[in-house]
Amino acid sequence: MGKRRSGRELLRSLSKKQKKHLREFGEEHPFYDKLLLLLLLHLCFPFQSENSDKSSAESDSETEVEQVSVYHKLLATLKTSPESESEEEDDESESEESGESEAEMDSEGSQKTGEADGGEEDKNDVPEEEEGSLSLPCFGKWSTDTAEQTLGQEQDDGADTSCDPRHGVIEEFTDVKHESEFSLETNFMEEESGDCNADTRDSNPFKQHMDKELEEKEIEKMSTLPKTSSQSQWPRLGQLTFSSTLEKHKTLKADKEADVKQLYLHKPLESTWPKVNKQFLSSVNKPSDSPFTPLQRELFCVMNTYRDLFYPERNALTNGEEIRHAYCLHALNHVLKANAQVLSNNAKRRDRKPGSDTDDYRDQGLTRPKVLMIVPFRECALRIVHIFINLLEVNDKKKIDVSNKKRFKGEFGSDPEEKPPNLKRPEDYEAVFAGNIDDHFRIGVAILQKSMRLYAPFYSSDIIIASPLGIRTVIGAEGEKKRDFDFLSSIEILIIDQADIYLMQNWEHVLHLMKHINLLPLDSHGVDFSRVRMLNLNNWSKYYRQTLLFSALQDPQINSVFNKHCFNYAGQVAVRNVPLTGSISHVMVQLPHVFRRLEAESITSVIDRRFQFFIDKVLPEYRDAIMSHTLIYVPSYFDYVRLRNYFKKEDLNFTHICEYTKKAAVCRARRFFLKGEKQFLLFTERFHFYKRYTIKGIRNLIFYELPTYSHFYSEICNMMKATDNGVDATWTCTVLYSKYDAQKLAAVVGIDRTAQMLQSKKNVHLFVTGEN
């Protein structure tokens, strides 16, 4: 009984944290270990006599034996004493209650920013696992509670909580079970099935790009001097413009044949890519033919040189999936090569001789994420992950390990029954808005050769897939308490797909991202600085980052991001094809088109000038009751609000529809306009983009500004044939434009007519018969 009592007394003297750690790990927390304290004192005061060293060593050994015996006594007490068990259960319940209250407070604090996501970790509670950093176990309550919460989440697959701020810390996802498996520091090259021979070849584009050491003179040159450009013609991509500051007058040539072995793909991808991409190849292709389509071959040739690329001819109906497969191959190839390099160097460092120079192993950035993929909807992220899985699975027998796959399918998948069966929309609309169209998400993906981890914390991820809104809520704004953008510091490949859709969402989110990418991190996040590349330490990451930008159209705002926020030393490649025929040729009704030119001194003044031109020159012509049933198409929401306020002030007979109008109000406005009870209908482009309703009763059409999507012009014009008495009606169409609308104008009327219209300052009258 004496031993049991002494054990209880010693147990009672411990704090709650010490008791919990003792129960979980069978030893005291290292912070309270007396032996560790003695070693620390010995390290702090090394200059002592030999006798003192000897005595301290003896005392250390005695202390160690004593400590081990105490641990065993306490463990025996825990197993045999019911009183101690009840005391520990009480302590555990108290600690759990305090932890739940803290989690509730955290969730309440995160409601403002919407950071309820599976992509980040609490910096103060969990040690981040970075490339080249030492992996440590998670001590304390946080790790065990989070593991239990995570298991509960995986069981409840139907609940999508990634955007629910009430879940707070629960969504700071950590897969404790797989943490060591996906840590690059605890894996070595011989444990992987692949080889890194491809990464050691001098002609490997990955090594050529990342190992090039820029000089300060070159950095200063890129920051100050303008870029020189040259043009070339490729068979499939068409007109290419290559611009660079360091390389002058270099002509890019398309490879006639893209052999897989010549592209230096990582070993598994050489065998899986032809199978994955087989769906896009012609059925008459022989096995010896190229595994790329003509478009993919030319796109991948540019991607593989690590130059920036802007391709503005992406089409969701025709080539959208081809392009997605091509950039997924490039991103996965980059990650596998980078991780193989780190794993290989880990093995070399483990076998190196003590005292050897470690500066030869600089193979990573300040944080682990290497690839950032910006896509508009969850469905896009779902397809990307499926492509990754297919590319990593060599055959049916060798399936890769994908953690949290069931949860991912539940949150990013869609239910076909949710879509109304009688909903009829254009084909391009069906292609864009297929599947789960939620636009607030972010997910980290960690990749090894035989396994993939979904919902990895950002600082343990290789690839981050997010929407502009999802990444914006993490970055936060200046002054917010909870914000983080350090994980963007070492992004090596940025892929922005379907950039045109972000013009319909919120383009400010994209600009906010570009301002916070490749900045020096505010914290070290446990990185081993001896493994960090000098380019990252010099804050030159943006000069090595490759940006791949895909869009369905050329727009000044998209062009601005590519020209002003891309600094790749290897240069930029942009596809600049001009439309020979415009969308006006698809107008199927007999309609006179009047293009009225307005003059503006600058692009900033064109907004006010257009409004003044409209109310002074155009609107008076349509105020007469004869000009009823007039629809005014307004692309910008700010212009729409301005016109709506003016119409209310002037007490005009009008109704209005925008993307924020409720369904009942939309039905009422459409009915009033059809019956002629309202003379004018203000109609926003975003509403048309998201709904594609057919507006009946249009007799007069005014394009306040040329539409962002050129095919919207013909769609709106063709709505006139939905009018019952349209045969006898006298229809009109008026379009306002300025010299700053050259790209949009060319997409509507063609390049030849655009040149004539910009040279002439007179109004242009075109008559479309339906056969043009």
Side-chain angles (χ1 to χ4, degrees), residues 350-378:
R350 183 187 60 173
D351 299 334
R352 78 177 189 274
K353 297 179 180 179
S356 59
D357 187 14
T358 60
D359 200 50
D360 297 334
Y361 303 111
R362 295 192 177 273
D363 50 16
Q364 54 197 271
L366 290 166
T367 53
R368 180 169 170 176
K370 309 169 188 65
V371 178
L372 175 62
M373 309 178 81
I374 302 297
V375 291
F377 306 118
R378 285 181 181 256

Side-chain angles (χ1 to χ4, degrees), residues 257-286:
E257 296 295 334
D259 188 6
V260 176
K261 295 182 179 180
Q262 296 177 355
L263 295 174
Y264 303 99
L265 296 177
H266 201 67
K267 188 176 180 180
L269 301 181
E270 292 182 358
S271 58
T272 57
W273 171 249
K275 299 176 183 177
V276 173
N277 199 50
K278 186 178 180 180
Q279 56 181 312
F280 303 109
L281 301 176
S282 174
S283 58
V284 299
N285 280 28
K286 300 178 182 179

Side-chain angles (χ1 to χ4, degrees), residues 616-630:
D616 293 342
K617 305 287 186 180
V618 179
L619 189 58
E621 299 176 3
Y622 288 85
R623 283 201 176 195
D624 197 315
I626 300 177
M627 306 296 290
S628 61
H629 298 273
T630 300

Side-chain angles (χ1 to χ4, degrees), residues 301-455:
C301 285
V302 178
M303 294 180 196
N304 211 31
T305 61
Y306 280 88
R307 292 180 172 91
D308 294 337
L309 172 64
F310 175 38
Y311 183 72
E313 297 180 9
R314 186 193 190 282
N315 191 306
L317 276 174
T318 56
N319 58 17
E321 288 303 312
E322 284 184 65
I323 295 171
R324 181 177 284 125
H325 277 68
Y327 70 65
C328 284
L329 173 66
H330 178 61
L332 191 59
N333 185 45
H334 178 85
V335 169
L336 289 176
K337 287 183 177 182
N339 287 353
Q341 187 181 37
V342 173
L343 296 175
S344 177
N345 288 339
N346 283 351
K348 293 177 182 177
R349 290 187 66 183
R350 183 187 60 173
D351 299 334
R352 78 177 189 274
K353 297 179 180 179
S356 59
D357 187 14
T358 60
D359 200 50
D360 297 334
Y361 303 111
R362 295 192 177 273
D363 50 16
Q364 54 197 271
L366 290 166
T367 53
R368 180 169 170 176
K370 309 169 188 65
V371 178
L372 175 62
M373 309 178 81
I374 302 297
V375 291
F377 306 118
R378 285 181 181 256
E379 174 68 17
C380 306
L382 179 72
R383 296 185 183 186
I384 288 173
V385 170
H386 284 169
I387 294 173
F388 286 160
I389 295 173
N390 294 334
L391 286 174
L392 290 174
E393 289 182 344
V394 179
N395 51 51
D396 295 337
K397 296 181 180 178
K398 295 184 178 180
K399 289 189 174 294
I400 66 167
D401 238 355
V402 183
S403 61
N404 311 307
K405 186 176 181 180
K406 193 174 183 181
R407 178 193 172 192
F408 175 75
K409 184 178 179 180
E411 294 186 0
F412 285 77
S414 60
D415 187 1
E417 297 180 358
E418 293 180 357
K419 184 179 178 181
N422 58 347
L423 188 64
K424 294 182 180 180
R425 294 292 182 268
E427 292 182 353
D428 64 298
Y429 178 91
E430 298 288 350
V432 170
F433 293 98
N436 191 334
I437 58 172
D438 179 30
D439 64 349
H440 188 190
F441 64 91
R442 49 191 179 265
I443 183 173
V445 182
I447 292 178
L448 291 180
Q449 197 157 283
K450 293 185 288 186
S451 54
M452 177 188 297
R453 177 186 178 191
L454 303 176
Y455 295 97

Side-chain angles (χ1 to χ4, degrees), residues 13 143 232 251 313 350 493 498 503 542 603 635 701 715:
S13 65
S143 60
S232 60
T251 303
E313 297 180 9
R350 183 187 60 173
I493 296 180
Q498 295 177 271
L503 297 172
K542 66 179 181 179
I603 194 171
L701 185 58
E715 281 187 17

Side-chain angles (χ1 to χ4, degrees), residues 457-506:
F458 278 3
Y459 290 97
S460 300
S461 302
D462 297 301
I463 300 175
I464 297 173
I465 309 173
S467 65
L469 176 60
I471 206 75
R472 173 66 174 80
T473 53
V474 180
I475 296 174
E478 189 174 354
E480 293 182 3
K481 292 183 179 180
K482 282 194 173 183
R483 60 182 311 217
D484 185 15
F485 48 86
D486 286 358
F487 58 88
L488 300 173
S489 62
S490 300
I491 295 296
E492 297 164 359
I493 296 180
L494 170 64
I495 300 174
I496 303 178
D497 194 14
Q498 295 177 271
D500 52 288
I501 295 181
Y502 312 139
L503 297 172
M504 300 292 120
Q505 292 177 347
N506 194 334

